[in-house]
Amino acid sequence: MEVTSAVHSVRYLNLQTRFSQLERLNNNGPLFISTKTTKQNNSLLHPNQLSRKNNSDYGLNYGSHSKSFITNSTSSATTSAETSGSLSEVEKIKQKCLKWKWKDQYSINYFVSSDSDSSQLNHPPLLLVHGFGASIPHWRRNIKTLSQSYTVYAIDLLGFGLSDKPPGFSYTMETWAELILDFLDEVVKKPTVLIGNSVGSLACVIAAASGNIQPDSNQTLVKGIVLLNCSGGMNNKAIVDDWRIKLLLPLLWLIDFLLNQKGIASAIFERVKQRENLRNILSSVYGNKESVDDELVEIIREPANSEGALDAFVSIVTGPPGPNPVQLVPKISLPILLLWGDEDPFTPIDGPVGKYFSSLPSQQENVKLFLLEGVGHCPHDDRPELVHEKLLPWLATVSNS
């Protein structure tokens, strides 16, 4: 599972001896404990045809109660070709982002791009869903390649990036899944392939398992799912089948207690988001250390400085882990591609979650799994060429099905 460590931040509070078992804070997971033993080691899903009335099983209610609309775009439309050509991929992505009003109250940041007429090619649109602490620019090394043949959407989940971070909001996996379904229904309006990393993968799983029928239509909302090192829950409290997590449960409870103290939580958060600490954290979860550049550090750091970021951090770390993917996957029947970095310290392939996902291809014909050598928790940014090598042929088969 995703792991983060309060080692750096807790040193600030003189509690390092109590937290010596924790690893560094991961940009994709809130204060999670690693299930890795010695060597770092390092599925799934597809939407089944569930009726909307069954969505209540997962606490979701999409479509009918969420009036949403697109409010505006950035100034990118007026950017000249010459100016655009001098920008980094991250800046180009930021300039093309739009705002969508979810449920008439929450501003959601999203991106859409296409360099080809994917509708004529009969290619489904893609929706990219980031992991914990990340945002749309974390797909900086994928969007350009994917948009050559597909319409690519990416979204900042509520509480992340440039999307709203409402005060006092209780974040759950089910909320993010509902957001994804509403976005597909109201903005994309076509059967879509979901591509998620970490907790973003799990949100895609929940969305697919809970509602694959578009309201008032026979069209499905989800056409397939790609999981990049999927997490087992919103936090480590979901990993109950790992003896290492069981041993550390008292420590997890202590972390929850400390983070619910406003002053302590603020001190930890301020410590964590310092540039050097973020760089160390990211280096611990990336296999390819060259991918951990200044741009990546800023991708994680900038949203962490926005209003409401601390509250979102605390809510996610201390909140309920959410539905278990082991219980959801049997409800999904569409094509599933699992891409798993074999050096992931947070969801190691030999941990409970990794073992389950790696067993799926032998149990379900719709599941394909590829282990990516020398890759960590965020394969799409760590070694994007390896991800594209497996992803593009799979997408072609889904498009033709």
Side-chain angles (χ1 to χ4, degrees):
M1 214 355 268
E2 303 184 296
V3 179
T4 63
S5 141
V7 169
H8 297 299
S9 48
V10 173
R11 185 187 308 128
Y12 180 83
L13 299 171
N14 232 358
L15 294 174
Q16 56 269 58
T17 55
R18 300 295 300 274
F19 288 81
S20 60
Q21 300 180 62
L22 290 176
E23 297 193 12
R24 292 186 252 261
L25 179 69
N26 176 27
N27 68 305
N28 276 346
L31 286 171
F32 296 120
I33 305 302
S34 175
T35 55
K36 173 183 71 135
T37 51
T38 53
K39 187 177 186 296
Q40 293 182 351
N41 286 18
N42 294 339
S43 24
L44 114 131
L45 331 177
H46 287 282
N48 66 332
Q49 308 287 331
L50 296 180
S51 65
R52 290 186 63 207
K53 67 180 180 180
N54 290 335
N55 293 343
S56 59
D57 295 340
Y58 301 97
L60 305 186
N61 188 6
Y62 69 92
S64 60
H65 295 294
S66 57
K67 302 251 181 177
S68 315
F69 56 91
I70 299 168
T71 57
N72 67 289
S73 66
T74 65
S75 60
S76 61
T78 60
T79 302
S80 68
E82 292 82 4
T83 303
S84 176
S86 65
L87 296 175
S88 69
E89 284 303 311
V90 167
E91 290 304 319
K92 291 177 184 177
I93 290 170
K94 288 180 178 179
Q95 286 197 349
K96 292 184 69 174
C97 282
L98 304 169
K99 296 294 184 182
W100 166 60
K101 203 74 169 179
W102 183 41
K103 296 188 173 184
D104 280 337
Q105 55 183 325
Y106 303 121
S107 177
I108 301 299
N109 190 52
Y110 79 96
F111 169 92
V112 59
S113 177
S114 177
D115 294 337
S116 65
D117 191 348
S118 58
S119 60
Q120 290 186 9
L121 295 172
N122 198 31
H123 287 177
L126 314 178
L127 176 60
L128 311 179
V129 185
H130 62 79
F132 179 86
S135 57
I136 293 170
H138 201 208
W139 301 99
R140 58 186 173 150
R141 294 180 169 133
N142 316 106
I143 287 174
K144 185 175 182 179
T145 296
L146 295 175
S147 62
Q148 291 174 10
S149 300
Y150 299 88
T151 298
V152 178
Y153 291 84
I155 192 170
D156 281 344
L157 295 173
L158 189 71
F160 293 110
L162 294 179
S163 288
D164 277 354
K165 303 169 184 66
F169 193 88
S170 296
Y171 294 90
T172 65
M173 293 302 312
E174 293 90 339
T175 297
W176 292 330
E178 183 180 356
L179 169 60
I180 290 170
L181 289 172
D182 284 342
F183 185 79
L184 297 182
D185 180 39
E186 300 179 26
V187 179
V188 183
K189 298 181 179 179
K190 291 182 180 180
T192 302
V193 174
L194 304 179
I195 303 176
N197 173 228
S198 189
V199 293
S201 286
L202 181 56
C204 292
V205 171
I206 299 169
S210 59
N212 192 36
I213 299 297
Q214 187 171 346
D216 305 319
S217 171
N218 291 325
Q219 247 186 341
T220 59
L221 285 171
V222 183
K223 190 172 180 65
I225 298 184
V226 181
L227 303 180
L228 304 167
N229 289 63
C230 184
S231 67
M234 192 168 72
N235 48 54
N236 258 358
K237 292 189 284 291
I239 311 300
V240 296
D241 296 330
D242 192 321
W243 63 268
R244 292 163 287 194
I245 293 298
K246 289 180 179 179
L247 287 177
L248 290 172
L249 274 177
L251 187 57
L252 294 175
W253 295 332
L254 174 61
I255 291 171
D256 281 6
F257 172 77
L258 292 175
L259 288 179
N260 279 306
Q261 316 306 310
K262 189 73 173 181
I264 295 177
S266 180
I268 291 175
F269 194 59
E270 289 300 317
R271 186 81 175 185
V272 163
K273 66 182 184 181
Q274 292 178 6
R275 285 187 176 88
E276 194 56 35
N277 285 342
L278 282 176
R279 185 179 298 276
N280 290 335
I281 290 163
L282 291 165
S283 294
S284 74
V285 301
Y286 271 59
N288 178 18
K289 309 307 178 187
E290 293 182 358
S291 291
V292 182
D293 53 16
D294 292 342
E295 188 175 66
L296 176 61
V297 172
E298 293 307 313
I299 287 173
I300 306 302
R301 184 175 180 273
E302 286 180 8
N305 287 323
S306 62
E307 185 176 358
L310 171 59
D311 288 345
F313 172 78
V314 172
S315 175
I316 294 165
V317 174
T318 62
N324 189 326
V326 174
Q327 298 170 344
L328 299 178
V329 174
K331 301 178 182 295
I332 300 170
S333 60
L334 293 182
I336 298 166
L337 176 64
L338 305 176
L339 300 177
W340 213 278
D342 71 346
E343 292 187 2
D344 183 355
F346 298 159
T347 47
I349 197 64
D350 68 343
V353 176
K355 284 181 178 179
Y356 173 72
F357 285 168
S358 62
S359 72
L360 288 175
S362 63
Q363 303 173 26
Q364 299 179 209
E365 292 183 357
N366 61 315
V367 179
K368 288 185 178 292
L369 166 69
F370 294 98
L371 283 180
L372 305 180
E373 186 176 352
V375 179
H377 189 63
C378 308
H380 60 290
D381 193 57
D382 193 331
R383 300 267 186 186
E385 71 283 357
L386 296 183
V387 169
H388 298 155
E389 178 184 320
K390 304 301 182 184
L391 174 60
L392 292 174
W394 181 86
L395 286 173
T397 64
V398 172
S399 299
N400 295 328
S401 61

